[in-house]
Amino acid sequence: MDPNLVREILTTKSGHFLKPKINPIWKVLVTGHASYDVEKWAKCRRIINPAFHVEKLKLMQPAFFNCCSELIKRWENIVGSSETFELDVWPEFQNLTGDVISRTAFGSSYEEGRRIFQIQTEQAELLIQASRTVYIPGFRFLPTSMNRRRKHLDKEVRSLLRSMIEKREKAIKYGEKNSADLLGLMIESNLKESEEHGKFEIGGLSVEDIIEECKLFYFAGQETTSILLNWTAVLLSVYPSWQERAREEIMQIFGENAPDFDGLSQMKIMNMILHEVLRLYPPVVLLSRRTNKSMEVGGITYPKGVMLSLPLIFIHHDPDIWGEDVHEFKPERFTDGISKAAKNNQMAFFSFGWGPRMCLGQNFAMAEAKMCLSMILQRFRFELSPSYIHAPYTVLTLQPQHGTQVLLHKL
Ligand code: HEM
């Protein structure tokens, strides 16, 4: 729980603290470079990084905007002529962030992307069911109906991705102008790397690797961002004065117009609100590492193979670090940025991780959340419905157990 030790572990020379080994049944979901060890991770991160640069994200603005517009249109239809309507926004945000990843990752192959998202959701449900039963080694190989379904889904995802990747690779090789989606950018960066090394297998990623990365985008980017939107809706309902301040900022920057990336990057109040939401409700509550050799941490020597748990959520709720008002929603903590937010002036905000393995999609997630909230706040005021039950619980991430029912009022 000591932020200095957490930072030390997350920044120590790569290779000394590794990601934990993944239970084989989770591998269909938790894959890609986030789970690789040092060498393969470094290669993948180098190739994927350019796809997340701010100027590339700007090219994805239309995709973000279209998805948010669809959400708003649906809400406007639901509200209809009545002034107020009750809606569970949790599944709404899950669908939105799934749509955003489908569009930004796969561009014109959006429909196939959407199918992949549906399959991964079903895979996650099957895995959660499996994890609730007693673990029997080798059981996953038996042809039970659940295991057969899991295998079938894995095959379908892979074949969809394989055909999309091969189609795109061919098009790029034959000189077709590349699209601004994550898959295209990743293939382009991969081809560049391969050319530099002269040979596909040495420099770049294989089709299999790219498949794993695409699956990772959904796993890492969909649920986490919908959780951020969800708890922001809850906290802005409980603190209407902050909802009003956010709306004022939106009106000042965009008026009634469509939000754009340049405007989103000017938002100060919204930035403070999102950081405070991420502090109180970090979507990823805990990071894990294992020692790869005997290592000293905080005066204690741990032998090779020890699992270390870094409980971000406890650090974010520690009154010694943040002050006695630690449990209160006070976005003003972040007025001077994240490095100055804690009372005792140490960097103790870890929602996106820290060090070389810090979240690759941080700018992506923040831009998406700002775009979505700006468009909602331009049109609606919202408050919690009396049927809402506050029950954050962790299913890998910090979700609302009974959904998030809010009352929407048309402005
Ligand atoms: C609010 C939203 C998000 C949160 C809170 C979040 C949080 C995190 C955290 C804590 C890590 C570090 C894990 C560790 O060190 O063990 C991480 C890694 C990662 N995130 Fe995110 N994430 C978010 C959104 C996204 C999005 C939208 C994407 C992609 C579209 C994404 C892609 C990744 C990737 C690829 C990694 C692995 C980085 C590496 O190992 O090199 N994330 N994220």
Side-chain angles (χ1 to χ4, degrees):
M1 278 188 60
D2 177 346
N4 293 321
L5 295 185
V6 168
R7 266 202 312 276
E8 188 183 317
I9 291 165
L10 295 177
T11 48
T12 299
K13 218 170 104 196
S14 54
H16 292 184
F17 295 105
L18 301 178
K19 292 258 184 155
K21 288 207 165 80
I22 293 172
N23 182 326
I25 69 162
W26 285 97
K27 277 199 172 154
V28 291
L29 270 189
V30 189
T31 60
H33 86 277
S35 61
Y36 298 151
D37 281 344
V38 188
E39 233 170 85
K40 193 160 184 193
W41 163 77
K43 182 172 83 173
C44 287
R45 178 123 186 169
R46 194 173 59 241
I47 291 172
I48 291 164
N49 228 356
F52 285 92
H53 282 172
V54 176
E55 75 276 13
K56 300 287 186 208
L57 290 185
K58 276 189 185 170
L59 302 176
M60 296 174 197
Q61 181 181 308
F64 280 59
F65 179 75
N66 288 337
C67 295
C68 296
S69 293
E70 275 173 25
L71 173 118
I72 295 288
K73 255 186 243 149
R74 204 179 40 257
W75 287 17
E76 280 174 339
N77 284 339
I78 294 174
V79 175
S81 54
S82 54
E83 290 301 301
T84 302
F85 198 86
E86 179 176 316
L87 184 68
D88 182 357
V89 291
W90 168 231
E92 293 287 319
F93 290 144
Q94 283 178 298
N95 278 329
L96 171 82
T97 54
D99 268 3
V100 170
I101 297 269
S102 301
R103 269 189 223 240
T104 50
F106 303 117
S108 56
S109 318
Y110 165 69
E111 288 301 334
E112 290 107 307
R114 181 100 198 126
R115 174 70 196 134
I116 294 167
F117 167 51
Q118 284 164 355
I119 296 175
Q120 285 205 321
T121 309
E122 190 180 339
Q123 283 177 320
E125 279 159 11
L126 289 174
L127 286 174
I128 286 164
Q129 270 178 42
S131 69
R132 288 192 183 131
T133 57
V134 179
Y135 177 67
I136 304 169
F139 190 74
R140 72 196 151 99
F141 298 113
L142 296 180
T144 60
S145 61
M146 199 199 271
N147 286 345
R148 282 205 308 271
R149 180 78 188 142
R150 281 215 305 254
K151 229 171 159 178
H152 171 79
L153 292 174
D154 191 39
K155 239 173 147 177
E156 189 182 343
V157 153
R158 290 174 164 280
S159 95
L160 272 168
L161 282 166
R162 181 181 302 278
S163 82
M164 278 156 71
I165 292 165
E166 287 174 351
K167 230 192 296 168
R168 203 69 77 79
E169 260 183 358
K170 242 187 229 151
I172 294 174
K173 274 186 190 156
Y174 288 115
E176 189 181 286
K177 203 178 158 325
N178 193 18
S179 46
D181 55 49
L182 287 172
L183 178 60
L185 293 166
M186 196 159 68
I187 293 176
E188 194 179 68
S189 168
N190 192 35
L191 289 172
K192 219 183 266 166
E193 174 106 349
S194 311
E195 275 161 21
E196 277 163 22
H197 290 81
K199 216 174 162 198
F200 190 75
E201 303 85 50
I202 295 173
L205 304 178
S206 66
V207 172
E208 279 302 303
D209 290 335
I210 296 182
I211 290 178
E212 296 309 318
E213 292 307 318
C214 293
K215 285 164 61 187
L216 171 66
F217 289 155
Y218 275 108
F219 183 75
Q222 187 264 328
E223 197 89 319
T224 45
T225 314
S226 57
I227 289 170
L228 168 60
L229 284 166
N230 181 79
W231 297 120
T232 308
V234 170
L235 286 162
L236 290 185
S237 296
V238 179
Y239 295 86
S241 61
W242 279 103
Q243 187 179 139
E244 205 36 58
R245 285 185 70 178
R247 189 172 291 109
E248 272 164 22
E249 181 180 63
I250 292 160
M251 288 307 174
Q252 241 170 38
I253 298 178
F254 305 115
E256 311 254 305
N257 300 328
D260 56 30
F261 266 48
D262 288 334
L264 296 179
S265 61
Q266 290 169 30
M267 302 183 97
K268 284 215 165 69
I269 301 288
M270 185 64 91
N271 233 9
M272 285 154 51
I273 290 174
L274 290 174
H275 280 112
E276 180 68 343
V277 173
L278 286 165
R279 180 187 72 81
L280 285 168
Y281 296 92
V284 179
V285 294
L286 177 97
L287 298 182
S288 307
R289 293 293 187 269
R290 70 187 148 94
T291 51
N292 192 29
K293 57 180 217 154
S294 174
M295 288 297 293
E296 196 206 299
V297 185
I300 298 172
T301 303
Y302 298 91
K304 178 178 170 169
V306 171
M307 280 281 289
L308 302 170
S309 286
L310 317 176
L312 313 184
I313 194 162
F314 294 161
I315 297 173
H316 286 187
H317 287 252
D318 184 345
D320 289 341
I321 298 172
W322 299 91
E324 284 311 312
D325 57 1
V326 65
H327 300 303
E328 286 172 41
F329 177 68
K330 287 193 158 177
E332 62 266 37
R333 285 180 222 278
F334 288 92
T335 309
D336 297 318
I338 54 169
S339 57
K340 303 253 169 63
K343 277 254 156 52
N344 62 8
N345 248 348
Q346 61 175 327
M347 216 330 273
F349 176 83
F350 291 106
S351 286
F352 291 105
W354 193 253
R357 300 197 81 142
M358 196 166 178
C359 178
L360 203 52
Q362 177 171 353
N363 292 331
F364 183 107
M366 290 296 275
E368 181 182 349
K370 285 183 200 169
M371 169 87 77
C372 173
L373 291 163
S374 297
M375 290 175 70
I376 293 172
L377 288 166
Q378 278 174 328
R379 292 161 184 85
F380 299 99
R381 187 171 61 75
F382 50 84
E383 60 185 321
L384 288 175
S385 153
S387 62
Y388 172 73
I389 299 167
H390 191 62
Y393 83 141
T394 40
V395 194
L396 292 179
T397 45
L398 191 61
Q399 304 182 11
Q401 186 170 5
H402 306 296
T404 300
Q405 295 75 16
V406 300
L407 296 176
L408 287 178
H409 306 278
K410 247 199 305 201
L411 287 176

